[in-house]
Structures are given as C-alpha cells and as structure tokens.
C-alpha cells in the first residue's frame, strides 16, 4: 500500500531520516514509535506529502506521492495533527464538512455520513454547532477525526493525536480509534512516543532511533525478541515509569 | 460587507443628474472674496436664469485662476493687481484696459469693469506703535528698519511685494516674519509685532484700530475689484450678466466694502446675509447658521468619507493580500503606502489639483490614498499572523489557494481587516475637513470659513458634527464587525 524506499531527509545539514525503507500493508494499523527527535514525525509528514524527501521515494499503490495533485492526495489520505487543526471561525459541523464542500459532494449523502460518523466517534449531535473554543480537548479530537474521515480516505495518518488529552479521555479514545479503524478497514499510520498506546493500537510497530529503523514487528515480537539492545532499553525506560504512576 | 456596498451605492446614486443651466461661482479663502462671490451668486439666482453652484474657499490665486481656465468654475471675483502680479507675472502692464486685452487674447477671458473699489495693500501699525513712533508716511520707515514686522507668504514672494516696496522706498526691514494673515492680526493686536501688511478694505482695520501709513511715493498699484469669467459668459447667461452690470459694477466703494466686511467679521453675519443686506433683501439682524446647511454639509462629508473608503477597501485589501506573497512585495506596498501618509494632507491635495482639478475629485483621491495604509497594513498583519498550523491544516484539506484565501485566511484575518477599515474611516472624517480648502465642501467648509473670520463658533459648528460623525462611525463599525467577523473568533 505505502512503500518507503531509501528515503533520507536532513534539515540544516542534520540528517533526520537516514536511508529509510518500510512497507505498510493495506488495512494495518502501523505505529511509528520513538523518542522525540527520532524522526518519526518527519517521516509521517513525508508520507502525507507535507515535506519532500531529499532522496528516495514514497509511493502510494505504486505512484509517487510527491507527484500527486494536492487535491487528489488529500482525498485518499487524511492527516490528523496533535492539536487537531480545527479552524476557530467555523463551527464543528462546518469544520467537518469543509473538505466535502470544496469538492462539491452531494449534500444529502454528506449529511448522512456526518450523523453516522458522529455516532461512531461517540459525539453528541448538539456539539456540532459549537465552535472549537467551546469544545473540550477530547471533543475537539473527535471532531477532527470526523473531518479526517468525511471523504472516506483509504489511509489515515495520525500525529500523536491523543497526547494532549488527559489519561481517562485518552484511554477511551484509544479503544474507539481501534474499533473505528478496524470497522472501516482503514490503513493507518500513527506516530506516538507512548509504548502502551503503541502496544494497544498497533498491528505492527516500527521503532525509530536517530532516523533509522531499529525494528519493525508486532509488540510481542518487540518485547520478547528485540533485535537490538536499543529496543530493550527503550521499552524498559517507559514501562516501569508508567507503572510507578 | 453587502450592507456596506449597498449603502455606498445609495449614497452615490443620490447625487442628482438633472439637466439645468448651472453657474459655478468661485471664491478665494478670505472674507471679501466670499462676500463678493455670494453677491454674484445671489444676483444670478435672483434672475432665475440658472442654478448657482458655490465653489467657495479655493486656496491661492493660481488655483482659482486655473480652475476658471479649466472650466471648473465660471466666474469669480478677482483683483486687477493680483491678476497682473500673481498670475500674468507682468509688472509692465500699465492699466486696466491693457490687462483686459491680454486676458482676452491669451486666455479667452473676460474681465468686467471695476466693482467700484480699490483694495490695495497698505502697511499698518497698531495703536500703541502709531503713538510711540509717530510715523505718518511709508518714507518715514527708513529710520525704523528694526521694527518687528510680519507679512503673508504671498506678499513676501510676489513681484510687487516686500522686495519691490523696500527698493522703492530705499530701506530694508531687519526682522520680517512670514505668517498667516488672521494670525498676524492677533500678533499685531497683542503687540507681539509692530507692523504688518493689510488690505485697505479690511474690516480688521476698524476692529483693531490700526493706523495705515500713507503711500507717499505711490508704490502700491491698483487692486480694482472685478469679476473674471470666460469670454462667452454674457452670451451663455445674458440675464445674469445684465443683472450683474446693473447691481454690482461700479456700485461698491471702499467704505461700503469695509462695512460689508465688518458685518461678517465683527457682527457675526453670514456671507449670505451680508450679501442679502447689500442687495436690500434682508434687514440688519443676525441669524446664525441654519441647521439645513449643517445637515447638507454633513451629507457631503459622509459621501466624501464613504466613497473614498470604498475605494480604499477595494484596493487596500488586495494589496495587503499581495504583500503576504513575498517579502519584497510586502516592503514595497507597506513603505509605499506609508510614504503617502507622510505627505501633509494639504500638500497632497495641492499636488492632486493639476491632475484632477478642484472640487471633490482630488479630495476623493487624497482620502483614498490616506485610507490605504491602515487597510493594507492590517490585511497584511492579519493574514501573516495566522497560526502556521491552521495554514497547514487548510493544505491538508486539499484546499486550493483561492479557497484557502476565501474560506480560511480572510475570515481569520477579518478582525484585523475590519480594524484597519475602521481606522481608515475615522481618519478620513478628520482629513475630509481639509478638503474644503480645494472646494470639496463638507463640514470643513464651516471650519475654513470660521478660520478666515476668526470666529470660533463657526469653527465649532463644523468641528462638532465632524467629531460626532467620527463617534457615530465607530459605533456603526462595531455593528458591522458583529455581522462580518465570524462568531468563533469575535471576542
């Protein structure tokens, strides 16, 4: 589905992604896991077409992402940021419908889709007429998830979508996300630094360090058969801390 | 926005386009000029031959002469000396008849016969000075060359002005200062200066009890009051011309002119009333400025402000958007509009006269130019201050540049843009008062009149409605803000 071949990227002479190879399969939830500075967000931005690789190529079903028209690319691929990127001057509903409106999609069908999505992300319809500043963090992320799904894209990219939320909301959204993506059969690439989140959501996990792949596998594999001492180190560093909380 | 545009269209359409004969009467910015122009206007109106458009208060001899040349006005009171010195620049012209011939041949203009008085320059001492120095004649000044003297800019510059006077009498003033005429009278009255130049029919001679020095060596030339028009004026308006001949030519002597001047300057008569008194239409009593006139001028003022504002928005917002496209464009448009702001309003108005003539057009242009900066700057700031994450979010929706501008950037920048428009409108209310100097009307014409009469209450009749208008605009724009600025970001 998504092929990343020999991709490198540096900023100001500093290599952020280094000869990166990865294939993401259709229908899987793939988590890019790593500490801050590991290059995981840069990689996601390159998949989303927001940043162009210096060398190498990222292709979507065989065609180079950077050669796709922006409108075409964004129709097949949704990108949801950490803060959600909701427009403050539009109410929740207008935010969600914006991508559909500019594409001139049928209003009736879109309305149907809107109520279906609201049910799916567990958002009360009365919140649709509220403006972003009137919503809680969790509601805002639900709205931006709905906006991401309104065009029914094959691929959903998520950049730490839950990291700004409090633990309780976060846990419930994690469960919802997994069931929504499985139900809709989406290919998902998600960036996080949180091992629990990665373990819970990811079919496969790619652990990154200094712009390189350390290991790509299921969480079980990662835990029981680390290919590199760094894997062990990274897992140990987080798990005891979470428990001590 | 829709409301703004439709109200502008209503304002624009309300000017009438009816076909009728119109005489445009001009005057310069001083009491006597206003009174004579008002006399001409009323005499023409009384014949019923044509409607009179009063283009009063035009600044400077050059401006008003050019206005006649370009048919911006049809007729105005002019003095033979001024035409000879300040316009034709030819001191060799010996008399009135030669002047008349040159005007006809060179400019196709008709100079009427004298209205009956000579308003020439004279030098005046204040009461105390006259007692102290005991000077009677100009030639006596030789011994008093260190007197503190003030003259108008025009008198200092013109061919038959200060320099020629000094040469003719053989002395040089040691401390000549240039000052606006009305202020010079105040300075003379308060004893800050000893001597100034005055016009021989000036009401202030009577008011301040000034002592006129005798021109014993016949230096000052004649300044006969006449009417200047195009050659064909008597053919275009035969009844009016006949009435002017009958009621005005040779009918006003110096004493009567001083009397009319002091009716206005000392007794608070309007120009209209003073002229009516002369024509025997009104008895001697003071009435003040009618509300109807204030309302009409306020209407003119609003039209000036809004038409200019409309164009400032039309050009300012796109210019501000353009500025966000590159640093170079940003610097270019911000510095450009900023520079315009540094040109003093009156100077800008004067620069625009050769291109647009006098009246409302150069005023619209000047107000338009002044209105640009706040709108351009605020549009630029508003758009460039948008959170880059939101900008990226728009790209992630696959919005085209146009869609992004229309649906995201402009609404998000609307608070700033509206603030710029509001600033522009309120600045324009103030600047528009200066437009009266070039005959654009509006509340400024009351202020100009008040200034030339040294009459604070007339100044206030113009200044107070202007201040009220500015406050009203502030409230109006608060209301428009509520409609235009999206709810999600409105405070």
């Amino acid at each position: 589905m998504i092929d990343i071949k020999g991709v490198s990227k540096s900023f100001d002479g500093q290599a952020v992604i280094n000869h990166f190879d990865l294939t993401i399969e259709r229908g899987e939830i793939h988590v890019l896991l790593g500490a801050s500075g590991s290059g995981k967000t840069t990689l996601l931005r390159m998949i989303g077409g927001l940043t162009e690789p210096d060398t190498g190529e990222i292709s979507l079903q065989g065609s180079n992402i950077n050669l796709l028209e922006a409108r075409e690319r964004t129709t097949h691929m949704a990108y949801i940021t950490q803060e959600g990127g909701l427009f403050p001057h539009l109410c929740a509903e207008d935010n969600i419908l914006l991508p559909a409106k500019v594409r001139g999609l049928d209003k009736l069908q879109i309305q149907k889709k809107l109520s279906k999505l609201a049910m799916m992300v567990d958002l009360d319809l009365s919140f649709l007429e509220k403006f972003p500043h009137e919503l809680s963090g969790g509601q805002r992320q639900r709205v931006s998830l709905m906006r991401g799904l309104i065009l029914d894209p094959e691929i959903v990219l998520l950049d730490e979508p839950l990291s700004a939320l409090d633990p309780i909301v976060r846990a419930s959204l994690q469960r919802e996300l997994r069931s929504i993506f499985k139900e809709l059969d989406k290919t998902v690439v998600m960036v996080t630094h949180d091992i629990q989140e990665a373990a819970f959501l990811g079919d496969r996990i790619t652990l990154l360090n200094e712009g390189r792949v350390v290991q790509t596998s299921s969480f079980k594999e990662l835990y029981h058969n680390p290919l590199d001492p760094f894997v062990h180190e990274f897992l140990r560093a987080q798990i005891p801390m979470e428990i001590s909380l | 926005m829709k409301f703004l545009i439709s109200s502008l269209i209503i304002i624009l359409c309300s000017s009438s386009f009816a076909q009728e004969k119109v005489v445009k009467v001009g005057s310069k910015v001083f009491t006597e000029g206003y009174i004579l122009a008002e006399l001409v206007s009323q005499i023409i109106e009384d014949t019923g031959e044509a409607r009179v458009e009063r283009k009063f208060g035009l600044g400077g001899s050059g401006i008003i002469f050019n206005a006649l040349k370009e048919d911006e006005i049809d007729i105005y009171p002019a003095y033979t000396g001024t035409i000879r010195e300040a316009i034709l620049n030819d001191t060799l012209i010996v008399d009135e008849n030669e002047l008349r011939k040159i005007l006809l041949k060179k400019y196709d203009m008709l100079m009427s016969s004298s209205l009956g008085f000579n308003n020439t320059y004279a030098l005046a001492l204040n009461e105390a000075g006259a007692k102290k120095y005991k000077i009677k004649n100009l030639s006596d000044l030789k011994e008093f060359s260190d007197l503190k003297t003030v003259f108008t800019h025009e008198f200092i510059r013109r061919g038959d002005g200060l320099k020629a006077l000094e040469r003719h009498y053989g002395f040089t003033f040691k401390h000549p200062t240039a000052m606006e005429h009305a202020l010079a009278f105040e300075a003379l009255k308060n004893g800050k200066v000893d001597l100034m130049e005055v016009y021989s029919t000036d009401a202030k001679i009577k008011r301040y009890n000034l002592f006129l020095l005798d021109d014993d060596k016949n230096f000052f030339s004649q300044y006969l009051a006449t009417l200047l028009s195009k050659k064909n004026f008597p053919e275009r308006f035969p009844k009016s011309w006949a009435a002017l001949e009958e009621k005005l030519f040779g009918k006003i002597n110096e004493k009567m002119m001083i009397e009319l001047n002091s009716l206005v300057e000392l007794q608070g008569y309007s120009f209209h009333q003073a002229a009516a008194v002369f024509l025997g239409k009104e008895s001697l009593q003071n009435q003040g400025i009618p509300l109807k006139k204030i309302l009409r001028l306020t209407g003119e003022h609003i039209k000036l402000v809004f038409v200019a504002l409309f164009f400032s928005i039309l050009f300012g917002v796109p210019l501000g958007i353009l500025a966000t496209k590159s640093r170079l464009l940003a610097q270019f448009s911000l510095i450009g509009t900023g520079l315009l702001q540094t040109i003093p309003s009156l100077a800008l108005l004067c620069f625009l006269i050769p291109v647009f003539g006098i009246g409302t057009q150069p005023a619209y242009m000047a107000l338009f130019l002044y209105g640009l900066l706040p709108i351009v700057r605020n549009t630029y700031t508003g758009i460039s201050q948008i959170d880059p994450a939101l900008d990226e979010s728009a790209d992630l929706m696959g919005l085209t540049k146009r869609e992004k501008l229309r649906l995201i950037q402009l609404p998000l920048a609307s608070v700033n843009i509206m603030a710029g428009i509001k600033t522009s409108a309120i600045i324009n209310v103030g600047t528009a008062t200066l437009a009266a100097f070039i005959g654009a009307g509006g509340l400024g014409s009351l202020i100009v009149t008040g200034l030339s009469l040294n009459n604070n209450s007339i100044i206030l009749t113009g200044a107070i409605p202007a201040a009220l208008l500015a406050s009203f605009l502030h409230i109006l724009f608060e209301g428009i803000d509520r409609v235009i600025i999206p709810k999600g970001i409105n405070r």
Side-chain angles (χ1 to χ4, degrees):
Chain A
M1 186 91 192
I2 304 171
D3 272 308
I4 303 167
K5 273 190 199 141
V7 165
S8 296
K9 180 76 191 176
S10 43
F11 293 111
D12 302 324
Q14 189 87 28
V16 179
I17 291 293
N18 233 328
H19 298 289
F20 203 96
D21 291 307
L22 181 67
T23 301
I24 292 159
E25 306 293 340
R26 166 181 287 280
E28 75 165 317
I29 299 181
H30 197 107
V31 174
L32 301 176
L33 179 67
S36 54
S38 61
K40 56 191 192 305
T41 295
T42 304
L43 185 66
L44 191 76
R45 288 176 62 84
M46 286 196 285
I47 299 172
L50 287 173
T51 305
E52 226 175 305
D54 295 337
T55 58
E57 188 184 304
I58 300 175
S59 54
L60 178 63
Q61 285 167 323
S63 41
N64 188 335
I65 273 176
N66 294 105
L67 299 179
L68 287 176
E69 288 277 340
R71 174 118 324 159
E72 164 103 11
R73 193 187 67 232
T74 51
T75 307
H76 294 295
M77 203 153 53
Y79 192 118
I80 295 159
T81 58
Q82 187 178 341
E83 302 294 340
L86 294 180
F87 299 116
H89 64 293
L90 299 177
C91 68
E93 178 168 337
D94 289 341
N95 259 294
I96 296 166
L97 296 185
L98 183 68
K101 271 186 184 156
V102 296
R103 285 167 174 82
L105 300 185
D106 182 71
K107 274 184 190 159
L108 211 74
Q109 283 195 335
I110 292 300
Q111 279 298 334
K112 262 191 218 162
K113 189 107 168 247
L114 181 74
S115 358
K116 207 177 117 192
L117 283 173
M119 217 140 71
M120 208 174 244
V121 305
D122 195 22
L123 184 80
D124 196 279
L125 288 177
S126 66
F127 289 114
L128 288 179
E129 57 198 49
K130 297 225 185 274
F131 287 96
H133 73 270
E134 298 168 320
L135 299 172
S136 71
Q139 288 161 343
R140 275 206 289 274
Q141 269 324 34
R142 286 181 162 91
V143 170
S144 59
L145 186 63
M146 286 172 73
R147 186 170 67 176
L149 295 172
I150 194 79
L151 294 178
D152 205 6
E154 293 111 68
I155 299 166
V156 181
L157 308 177
L158 302 133
D159 184 5
E160 308 235 18
L162 309 177
S163 63
L165 306 176
D166 67 70
I168 296 171
V169 179
R170 189 165 169 178
S172 82
L173 254 173
Q174 278 174 357
R175 279 191 296 279
E176 281 166 33
L177 278 180
R178 184 160 177 90
S179 70
I180 290 165
F181 292 141
K182 285 302 166 194
E183 190 185 331
L184 296 175
D185 191 27
K186 299 293 176 205
T187 305
V188 176
V189 185
M190 178 172 144
V191 160
T192 186
H193 63 273
D194 180 333
I195 291 173
Q196 282 209 332
E197 196 164 292
F200 179 75
L201 283 170
D203 296 324
R204 286 199 301 159
I205 296 169
T206 292
L207 181 65
L208 285 88
N209 186 33
E210 295 180 348
R212 291 174 199 274
V213 178
V214 182
Q215 184 172 351
T216 299
S217 64
S218 68
F219 180 72
K220 249 185 199 164
E221 280 283 305
L222 211 61
Y223 192 77
H224 294 296
N225 298 313
L227 296 181
D228 190 290
F230 177 79
V231 179
H232 193 64
E233 205 182 311
F234 188 84
L235 295 188
R236 269 248 310 258
Q238 271 196 41
I239 291 171
M241 246 181 78
E242 296 272 328
I243 290 165
S244 73
L245 285 170
Chain B
M1 197 63 187
K2 272 181 197 153
F3 166 75
L4 199 65
I5 292 170
S6 56
S7 55
L8 273 172
I9 290 170
I10 292 167
I11 292 169
L12 282 171
C13 294
S14 62
S15 16
S16 69
F17 293 100
Q19 292 262 333
E20 55 182 329
K21 269 176 116 176
V22 174
V23 181
K24 284 171 274 182
V25 180
S27 90
K28 276 170 58 177
V29 198
F30 68 104
T31 309
E32 192 169 297
Y34 280 116
I35 295 174
L36 292 175
E38 188 56 47
L39 274 170
V40 172
S41 302
Q42 289 188 24
I43 290 170
I44 294 174
E45 278 170 342
D46 290 346
T47 66
E49 187 176 36
R51 185 167 66 79
V52 172
E53 232 174 71
R54 289 166 169 78
K55 303 265 184 186
F56 291 1
L58 300 169
S61 308
I63 289 175
I64 196 166
F65 184 80
N66 275 322
L68 177 64
K69 205 164 92 185
E70 304 296 334
D71 293 320
E72 301 271 353
I73 56 172
D74 295 309
I75 191 163
Y76 79 93
Y79 298 89
T80 54
T82 312
I83 300 171
R84 188 176 55 233
E85 303 296 333
I87 294 162
L88 301 180
N89 234 325
D90 185 352
T91 44
L92 296 175
I93 300 170
V94 284
D95 65 5
E96 204 188 322
N97 288 327
E98 196 184 345
L99 188 62
R100 190 170 283 121
K101 273 183 208 154
I102 293 173
L103 282 169
L104 190 64
K105 215 169 114 191
K106 224 171 144 185
Y107 297 100
D108 218 22
M109 284 181 190
L110 173 67
M111 190 181 88
S112 76
S113 53
S114 162
L115 305 186
F117 66 92
N118 179 18
N119 179 2
T120 189
Y121 283 113
L123 296 193
L125 288 167
N126 58 19
E127 211 179 349
K131 275 184 193 149
K132 188 171 151 198
Y133 302 117
K134 303 215 163 49
I135 316 168
K136 286 234 167 72
N137 303 318
L138 284 181
S139 42
D140 299 338
L141 283 172
K142 238 181 207 170
E143 339 245 308
F144 296 95
S145 59
D146 54 355
L147 284 179
K148 279 174 280 172
T149 54
V150 280
F151 304 104
T152 58
H153 292 277
E154 187 167 351
F155 186 73
I156 291 174
R157 262 200 328 269
R158 56 192 296 156
D160 64 345
L162 184 60
K163 284 268 141 55
L165 171 81
E166 288 175 335
R167 233 177 294 125
H168 191 85
Y169 276 99
F171 58 74
T172 311
F173 290 117
K174 283 185 184 153
H175 318 288
T177 311
M179 201 183 270
E180 200 270 326
H181 212 60
L183 297 177
F185 273 109
E186 287 298 317
L188 189 67
K189 182 184 118 188
N190 299 331
K192 298 267 189 278
V193 295
D194 302 308
L195 180 126
M196 69 182 283
E197 108 270 14
V198 295
Y199 305 114
S200 57
T201 54
D202 199 317
K204 296 191 188 85
I205 295 169
K206 199 167 143 188
R207 177 178 180 180
Y208 295 130
N209 221 349
L210 302 184
F211 183 77
L212 296 190
L213 296 176
D214 197 23
D215 183 12
D216 54 330
K217 287 188 182 169
N218 293 321
F219 168 72
F220 289 117
S221 44
Q222 285 208 315
Y223 280 74
L224 296 171
T226 66
L227 298 181
L228 197 58
S229 65
K230 282 289 178 69
K231 187 183 72 181
N232 59 6
F233 190 92
E235 292 151 39
R236 285 171 64 206
F237 308 103
K239 275 193 213 161
S240 302
W241 188 254
L244 289 170
E245 271 183 325
E246 186 201 327
K247 294 183 179 164
L248 206 55
F249 298 171
K251 293 292 192 292
I252 310 177
N253 62 25
E254 277 88 2
K255 232 179 147 186
M256 288 162 86
M257 198 63 235
I258 291 181
E259 206 48 56
L260 285 175
N261 282 336
S262 53
L263 270 186
V264 173
E265 297 198 5
L266 306 181
Q267 296 174 49
Y269 278 63
S270 70
F271 303 124
H272 186 92
Q273 290 166 330
V277 167
F278 177 83
L279 294 172
K281 292 192 295 189
E282 197 166 314
S283 53
L284 289 169
Q285 51 179 300
N286 188 8
Q287 288 165 352
I289 298 160
L291 184 67
K292 218 173 115 187
K293 183 175 179 188
I294 297 175
L295 288 178
R296 178 175 61 79
L297 293 174
T298 307
E300 286 177 11
H301 208 88
I302 291 173
K303 193 171 149 190
L304 274 173
V305 169
F306 274 94
V307 171
L309 185 67
F310 174 74
F311 286 101
S312 296
I313 296 171
L314 201 67
F315 286 85
V317 173
L319 214 56
I321 294 168
L322 213 61
T324 61
K325 305 287 181 196
S326 85
R327 275 186 85 85
L328 192 75
L329 279 175
Q331 293 309 320
F332 183 75
S333 57
L334 291 177
I335 292 174
T337 49
L339 272 180
L340 280 173
Q341 213 78 14
T342 64
I343 305 174
S345 334
L346 261 182
L348 183 61
L349 288 169
C350 288
F351 292 153
L352 293 170
I353 288 172
V355 189
F356 295 99
I358 55 154
T360 48
Q361 274 189 35
Y364 282 139
M365 194 65 198
L367 293 176
F368 156 69
L369 291 174
Y370 277 119
L372 272 181
L373 180 72
I375 296 178
V376 173
R377 186 172 288 262
N378 279 35
T379 304
Y380 170 76
T381 313
I383 291 178
S384 30
Q385 272 179 353
I386 293 173
D387 182 358
L390 291 179
D391 203 62
E392 194 161 74
S393 193
D395 294 335
L396 288 170
M397 309 286 107
L399 264 56
T400 61
K401 283 196 171 134
R402 265 163 186 261
E403 286 164 351
K404 185 157 105 175
L405 182 67
R406 184 167 56 88
L407 299 169
I408 309 298
Q409 291 173 314
L410 286 179
L412 286 178
S414 58
V415 175
N416 275 296
I417 297 174
M418 285 307 295
I421 292 173
K422 200 190 306 176
T423 308
S424 236
I426 289 168
I427 288 178
N428 272 2
V429 172
T431 314
T433 57
L434 294 174
F437 280 108
I438 54 166
L443 291 166
S445 52
L446 289 173
I447 298 176
V448 172
T449 308
L451 281 174
S452 78
L453 293 182
N454 232 340
N455 182 330
N456 284 339
S457 59
I458 297 182
I459 295 176
L460 287 176
T461 359
I464 291 172
L468 287 176
L469 187 59
S471 321
F472 167 75
L473 281 186
H474 183 81
I475 295 165
L476 175 73
F477 275 98
E478 294 284 307
I480 295 176
D481 275 358
R482 273 166 216 282
V483 180
I484 288 188
I485 297 173
K487 268 194 199 138
I489 51 173
N490 200 354
R491 256 145 262 165

